[in-house]
Amino acid sequence: MNKGDLHKKDDFKVPEKYFEGFENRLFEKIHDLEHSIPKKEGFKVPEKYFESFEENLFRKYNTPETSKVIRLKKYKSYYYIVTGIAASLVLFLMIRFFTPTDQLNFATLEHEEIENYLYANESSLNAYDIVQEFNDMELKEISLTDEILEEDDELIDYLNENTNAYDELIEDN
Amino acid sequence: MILEASLIDQLKDKKTQETAFRELVGLYKEKLYWHIRRIVINHHDADDVLQNTFIKVFKNIKNFKGESALYSWMYRIATNESISFLNTKAKKSGISNSELQIKMVQSLESDVYFEGDEIVLKLQKAIATLPEKQRIVFNMKYFEELKYEEISEILETSIGALKASYHHAAKKIEEYLKTN
């Protein structure tokens, strides 16, 4: 690259001999900085510290660590307090969020809610439980949702596809 | 480099590791001590951290993969141990790390292992006002006279970022010394 290409003509100027004296000025500044901040730190070490360091290190390394004994009793009361606070908090939240504002009874429940409940918990209910639950309800009032009917259809389809005549005979008997 | 490679091999070999470890400690104890001392300030704390650093080096040498120089790896362990030590100390005292720095420098006045005059004490106070990273970079560059390339490998930080940290730190210290 031609040296002349470094500086294409524009309107900027630098003071005379600016670049010739640049290094000196820079080093002066660095020198000033080094002198404005002291190089001494003032730290010292005990006498013969480094000479005896290895011995101390190996003594420490070879000493088996004694496991700390945690005194349970000291923490017992602390755990009781924490558990007590946590239990109170849970109880408060349960009362706050699970206590209904209006008195609820069985009659106020929507049929669909009951159905959904039974659907979700059917494995834990037997026929007797269901009769008990629907004791004061007319059968005609109970309507099955489409979802359950759909599942019934699926069940019938499944049985049609997966049972053979022999099975049916047994079932019939 | 060949010497370092051979030392690493000896450190990994059960038969030669104790002799090699003694050699390693002899080579680096002073350099690492001063590196740690500048971070934790107090001699007894520096001694504890230095011993823990070497114990960590000894226990982990089998995992050393040689991706960096051995001394950078040891400096890195020493730096991390020092920072962890200060964090724990601050936590135990229930104060922030910057409050701890001020407290540590204040205690220098009555420290038997400190013999600095007024200006040196003022310098330590100025360094204590710096953020942790700037403080470490300033010490490594100004007092330990490490090259930016070496600091970069130890702290795993770019040279550009280190130069900026050092520049900011030096300016702040100059300013502190002028105004206090």
Side-chain angles (χ1 to χ4, degrees):
Chain A
M1 189 169 60
N2 193 337
K3 213 175 177 181
D5 291 345
L6 277 174
H7 181 252
K8 289 192 174 160
K9 192 171 165 52
D10 55 31
D11 294 331
F12 296 119
K13 276 173 67 179
V14 291
E16 208 179 328
K17 294 188 179 172
Y18 169 77
F19 290 111
E20 281 86 342
F22 182 78
E23 285 89 340
N24 289 341
R25 287 197 306 279
L26 177 69
F27 283 108
E28 257 172 46
K29 198 166 183 181
I30 291 170
H31 187 259
D32 286 351
L33 175 72
E34 304 265 305
H35 280 80
S36 64
I37 303 174
K39 203 80 185 181
K40 206 179 159 208
E41 295 172 278
F43 295 132
K44 60 175 189 171
V45 292
E47 210 178 325
K48 294 188 177 173
Y49 168 70
F50 289 116
E51 286 87 330
S52 57
F53 180 77
E54 278 93 332
E55 290 319 307
N56 292 333
L57 174 69
F58 282 93
R59 200 179 308 130
K60 184 174 179 178
Y61 186 71
N62 292 323
T63 308
E65 282 181 31
T66 48
S67 49
K68 287 179 185 171
V69 178
I70 300 165
R71 290 171 60 203
L72 286 174
K73 208 176 174 183
K74 191 180 167 188
Y75 295 100
K76 230 174 181 177
S77 56
Y78 168 74
Y79 285 130
Y80 281 143
I81 293 165
V82 172
T83 314
I85 292 168
S88 310
L89 196 66
V90 170
L91 197 63
F92 168 77
L93 290 172
M94 282 178 74
I95 293 166
R96 171 75 181 79
F97 293 108
F98 294 105
T99 305
T101 45
D102 298 315
Q103 195 64 37
L104 270 184
N105 56 38
F106 193 77
T108 62
L109 290 174
E110 290 291 329
H111 291 167
E112 197 177 340
E113 285 173 354
I114 298 165
E115 279 172 35
N116 288 340
Y117 172 81
L118 291 171
Y119 180 62
N121 298 278
E122 60 188 342
S123 61
S124 62
L125 285 175
N126 55 33
Y128 177 77
D129 291 328
I130 295 168
V131 170
Q132 285 294 310
E133 291 294 331
F134 288 84
N135 210 12
D136 56 351
M137 200 178 284
E138 291 292 326
L139 271 178
K140 62 182 178 185
E141 288 177 27
I142 302 170
S143 63
L144 293 173
T145 62
D146 291 341
E147 194 184 349
I148 294 172
L149 284 173
E150 269 171 31
E151 290 218 351
D152 278 350
D153 288 338
E154 280 169 20
L155 184 66
I156 290 161
D157 289 340
Y158 173 82
L159 290 170
N160 281 337
E161 282 166 25
N162 294 280
T163 49
N164 55 35
Y166 181 74
D167 290 330
E168 281 164 18
L169 281 173
I170 291 173
E171 290 292 319
D172 288 339
N173 287 330
Chain B
M1 208 60 190
I2 296 164
L3 273 174
E4 189 176 295
S6 135
L7 191 61
I8 295 165
D9 287 343
Q10 287 172 25
L11 283 165
K12 288 182 178 180
D13 187 343
K14 284 255 178 216
K15 288 176 211 156
T16 52
Q17 66 180 181
E18 193 172 325
T19 319
F21 189 58
R22 278 182 186 273
E23 195 184 331
L24 186 78
V25 174
L27 277 171
Y28 288 103
K29 63 184 173 188
E30 286 197 46
K31 280 182 183 171
L32 289 180
Y33 172 84
W34 290 112
H35 177 67
I36 294 165
R37 178 78 184 267
R38 287 177 184 113
I39 303 174
V40 301
I41 308 283
N42 174 281
H43 164 72
H44 296 292
D45 293 344
D47 180 44
D48 271 352
V49 176
L50 182 63
Q51 293 199 21
N52 289 340
T53 300
F54 276 119
I55 289 170
K56 216 159 220 182
V57 167
F58 189 62
K59 281 183 176 169
N60 292 290
I61 192 72
K62 57 182 180 297
N63 304 322
F64 177 69
K65 294 186 182 88
E67 285 162 359
S68 61
L70 184 62
Y71 86 89
S72 319
W73 182 64
M74 295 202 310
Y75 261 85
R76 191 150 59 239
I77 293 175
T79 311
N80 292 339
E81 282 292 305
S82 307
I83 293 170
S84 307
F85 176 85
L86 291 183
N87 290 343
T88 312
K89 197 172 178 177
K91 214 171 186 180
K92 274 183 187 168
S93 310
I95 53 176
S96 69
N97 283 24
S98 48
E99 283 170 329
L100 178 70
Q101 282 297 321
I102 307 290
K103 208 177 158 190
M104 287 193 311
V105 172
Q106 279 168 351
S107 68
L108 275 178
E109 287 173 65
S110 56
D111 190 336
V112 289
Y113 298 118
F114 182 75
E115 55 183 7
D117 55 16
E118 201 183 326
I119 184 75
V120 173
L121 189 63
K122 204 194 269 185
L123 170 65
Q124 288 304 325
K125 283 180 182 171
I127 295 171
T129 62
L130 299 174
E132 186 177 82
K133 188 79 181 263
Q134 280 182 24
R135 195 166 60 240
I136 293 170
V137 172
F138 179 79
N139 282 333
M140 290 173 92
K141 183 77 193 126
Y142 194 72
F143 291 115
E144 296 173 47
E145 296 181 339
L146 292 170
K147 291 175 187 155
Y148 280 121
E149 288 76 12
E150 293 170 319
I151 305 173
S152 168
E153 204 175 297
I154 294 163
L155 301 180
E156 295 176 316
T157 308
S158 73
I159 291 174
L162 291 173
K163 282 182 178 173
S165 280
Y166 179 69
H167 178 74
H168 286 308
K171 281 275 162 211
K172 282 181 198 168
I173 291 170
E174 259 192 304
E175 201 58 39
Y176 185 95
L177 295 177
K178 274 181 200 164
T179 51
N180 285 279

